[in-house]
Amino acid sequence: MNQQNKFHLRTETTKGRCTVYVSGEFDLEVAGQMRAAMAPLIELTDRELALNLRDLKYIDSTGIGILVSMLKARHANNAAFIVEAIPPSIRKLFDMTGITPFLTRQA
């Protein structure tokens, strides 16, 4: 995997919002890293949780499954979760799987 496609997370937290910037390739190889990074953030129910996918190059079914599990966990906690800045190629995949409406609305 070249450096441009390497998976990377960067988090910005403010009083009312936690934004996680996801870049590179989100696939089975990095699933554990993503789960570990997101687990404590899922529990922060006092603020909105947003994933910014502007620099995401690729996502596989494992990555989509993790997004859905995050959505379910946030919904169970009655906490806001949105996915923003979805690249067109990724949005097309989300549209095909039918998850776009759930990822782009607030809890």
Side-chain angles (χ1 to χ4, degrees):
M1 181 185 307
N2 67 38
Q3 194 64 25
Q4 179 180 350
N5 292 332
K6 186 173 174 68
F7 181 73
H8 182 74
L9 297 174
R10 180 175 57 86
T11 304
E12 287 181 4
T13 303
T14 61
K15 183 178 179 188
R17 180 178 167 112
C18 180
T19 304
V20 179
Y21 295 88
V22 183
S23 61
E25 296 182 354
F26 180 13
D27 56 17
L28 177 61
E29 183 179 340
V30 299
Q33 179 184 348
M34 180 66 167
R35 281 190 187 104
M38 296 306 297
L41 303 178
I42 295 292
E43 302 303 318
L44 293 176
T45 58
D46 64 332
R47 65 193 72 189
E48 176 182 79
L49 177 59
L51 289 185
N52 183 301
L53 303 184
R54 180 185 64 226
D55 296 322
L56 187 66
K57 304 297 182 211
Y58 172 81
I59 187 168
D60 70 1
S61 60
T62 302
I64 291 172
I66 290 171
L67 291 182
V68 170
S69 67
M70 291 169 54
L71 173 69
K72 288 179 180 179
R74 293 292 287 186
H75 182 72
N77 290 330
N78 201 24
F81 177 71
I82 60 169
V83 179
E84 61 188 18
I86 304 169
S89 61
I90 305 291
R91 180 176 287 278
K92 183 177 180 181
L93 183 60
F94 289 173
D95 289 346
M96 289 178 7
T97 58
I99 65 169
T100 303
F102 301 101
L103 296 177
T104 56
R105 68 176 182 173
Q106 306 229 0

